[in-house]
Amino acid sequence: SFMRRFVTLVQRRPINFYFKRTLMTDEKKSSDKSGVPLPVVGRRNILITSALPYVNATPHLGNLIGCVLSADVYSRFARLRGYNVLYVCGTDEYGTATETKAVLEGVTPQEICDKYHKIHNDIYEWFDIRFDIFGRTSTPQQTEITQDIYQRLDANGCIDEQEMKGLFCE
């Protein structure tokens, strides 16, 4: 399967083969200009992410408990243990749910994304959820990273197209 082949590929190559940032060897340079932690050779480096919420509604307590709270607790635990931690999340701004909500509110999908990203961010801040990065799937950087990962996987033969039968509506 795709996931099994990807995991095998990751295990056979160093992590910087897949991602543009190289591992840092100097403790003093363990974050970029924005203060975001970078991997450090010789330290336990942990990347934590949680499910990206859609921007079609205001998050509720169930979203917090089901998506971000456990990752936030683990990131705090890992930091207390002295690990080098990067905790990322953000809003998922693509999909039918976003477009449907925009139609219902009589605005553009971008306006919906802007509105609900701010609402999500404000709520997570109120609950003291401590992301290192709370991003958006619609940023140019996110698009570049996603396309880079896909292209590397495709170039290494890890993308497999298959046909399946399913319901379809034009």
Side-chain angles (χ1 to χ4, degrees):
S1 74
F2 164 74
M3 187 54 66
R4 182 175 300 138
R5 289 174 62 191
F6 177 68
V7 170
T8 302
L9 185 64
V10 169
Q11 291 172 346
R12 291 183 186 160
R13 304 237 190 224
I15 195 71
N16 62 351
F17 174 82
Y18 299 98
F19 304 101
K20 292 182 178 181
R21 287 186 171 155
T22 57
L23 293 174
M24 304 299 289
T25 56
D26 183 358
E27 288 284 335
K28 295 176 186 172
K29 296 180 181 177
S30 63
S31 64
D32 65 11
K33 293 178 209 170
S34 67
V36 173
L38 297 176
V40 178
V41 172
R43 286 198 57 200
R44 181 138 184 215
N45 298 291
I46 300 177
L47 171 63
I48 301 170
T49 187
S50 42
L52 303 181
Y54 286 116
V55 290
N56 63 332
T58 301
H60 52 76
L61 195 55
N63 298 124
L64 285 162
I65 293 168
C67 291
V68 300
L69 186 61
S70 57
D72 184 69
V73 168
Y74 180 66
S75 73
R76 292 170 194 238
F77 166 79
R79 286 186 175 103
L80 286 171
R81 301 280 301 180
Y83 304 147
N84 186 39
V85 175
L86 176 61
Y87 179 26
V88 297
C89 190
T91 49
D92 186 346
E93 300 183 357
Y94 294 113
T96 305
T98 300
E99 188 173 351
T100 302
K101 186 68 169 183
V103 169
L104 287 172
E105 292 194 16
V107 297
T108 67
Q110 185 62 56
E111 290 171 314
I112 284 293
C113 293
D114 294 343
K115 172 185 173 180
Y116 283 100
H117 178 82
K118 181 173 178 359
I119 290 170
H120 279 254
N121 193 46
D122 292 347
I123 288 173
Y124 298 138
E125 282 183 10
W126 191 86
F127 277 96
D128 198 27
I129 302 296
R130 297 182 188 167
F131 304 111
D132 292 303
I133 299 172
F134 186 70
R136 303 172 73 157
T137 57
S138 62
T139 65
Q141 181 185 23
Q142 174 71 20
T143 301
E144 178 186 341
I145 290 168
T146 303
Q147 289 176 352
D148 182 59
I149 291 170
Y150 174 83
Q151 289 166 356
R152 287 173 187 252
L153 289 171
D154 191 38
N156 284 284
C158 296
I159 304 296
D160 185 31
E161 290 186 36
Q162 297 179 3
E163 290 185 19
M164 61 181 280
K165 292 182 180 181
L167 299 175
F168 178 79
C169 176
E170 292 184 32

